[in-house]
């Protein structure tokens, strides 16, 4: 027969193991929350950058198509380029349209090839690659997906 003292020891041991298990579970949950918070902080500036193609009225009254890159963050972005839209050396394969720096809270505009006006229908997003103020390289694709490079 088990004495009252032995039963108390068994219950105490089970309580200790249970408390240890709960502590491990809570620690793991906090680690997941911290990782998510860290990822959000890492992506914060990059999430505020976008690029699109849009037609606008030119100063001469005609219409032209332009590339726009918007940096809505509080820090500049660097090495900004629009891959696949720049002039090519061989005339066949487009290279990147290099923009360089986009200041904080600014939108930079660059002309698109003139013959694009005939196929223009409505504003549309374009791929943009850039480096954030902490030196991390990013790309946002035409669907708005943001990727660390």
């Amino acid at each position: 027969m088990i004495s009252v003292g032995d039963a108390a020891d068994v219950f105490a041991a089970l309580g200790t193991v249970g408390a240890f298990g709960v502590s491990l579970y809570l620690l793991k949950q906090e680690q997941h929350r911290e990782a998510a918070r860290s990822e959000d902080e890492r992506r914060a500036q990059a999430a505020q950058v976008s690029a699109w193609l849009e037609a606008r009225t030119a100063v001469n009254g005609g219409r032209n198509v332009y590339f726009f890159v918007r940096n809505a963050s509080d820090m500049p972005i660097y090495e900004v380029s629009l891959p696949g839209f720049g002039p090519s050396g061989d005339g066949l394969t487009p290279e990147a349209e290099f923009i360089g720096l986009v200041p904080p809270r600014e939108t930079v505009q660059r002309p698109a090839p003139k013959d694009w006006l005939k196929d223009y229908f409505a504003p549309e997003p374009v791929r943009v690659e850039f480096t954030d103020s902490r030196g991390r390289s990013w790309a946002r694709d035409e669907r708005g997906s943001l990727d660390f490079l």
Side-chain angles (χ1 to χ4, degrees):
M1 177 152 225
I2 298 177
S3 72
V4 173
D6 291 339
D9 289 343
V10 169
F11 284 123
L14 288 174
T16 300
V17 170
F20 182 72
V22 169
S23 296
L24 283 179
Y25 173 77
L26 293 174
L27 176 64
K28 192 70 166 165
Q29 290 295 328
E30 183 58 31
Q31 287 174 333
H32 285 308
R33 274 194 293 274
E34 183 60 33
R37 207 173 11 254
S38 179
E39 177 67 11
D40 288 347
E41 288 173 10
R42 186 173 72 104
R43 297 172 70 89
Q45 182 182 16
Q48 298 182 64
V49 175
S50 57
W52 68 96
L53 182 70
E54 185 177 347
R56 295 272 174 100
T57 303
V59 290
N60 64 4
R63 285 177 53 89
N64 290 330
V65 178
Y66 298 94
F67 294 109
F68 294 88
V69 177
R70 172 77 178 151
N71 174 16
S73 77
D74 292 327
M75 298 294 292
I77 56 173
Y78 307 93
E79 300 173 18
V80 179
S81 64
L82 302 166
F85 293 111
S88 64
D90 61 11
L92 301 173
T93 309
E95 296 178 3
E97 172 72 26
F98 185 74
I99 293 174
L101 174 110
V102 178
R105 306 245 176 242
E106 295 283 331
T107 301
V108 172
Q109 173 181 319
R110 294 286 186 274
K114 295 214 182 282
D115 62 337
W116 286 25
L117 186 59
K118 68 179 182 318
D119 295 324
Y120 178 80
F121 177 69
E124 62 182 274
V126 295
R127 180 176 176 86
V128 61
E129 295 179 358
F130 59 95
T131 301
D132 68 16
S133 61
R134 293 189 175 175
R136 294 177 292 232
S137 296
W138 299 90
R140 182 179 297 281
D141 69 16
E142 300 84 358
R143 294 177 316 280
S145 178
L146 184 62
D147 296 311
F148 180 70
L149 299 179

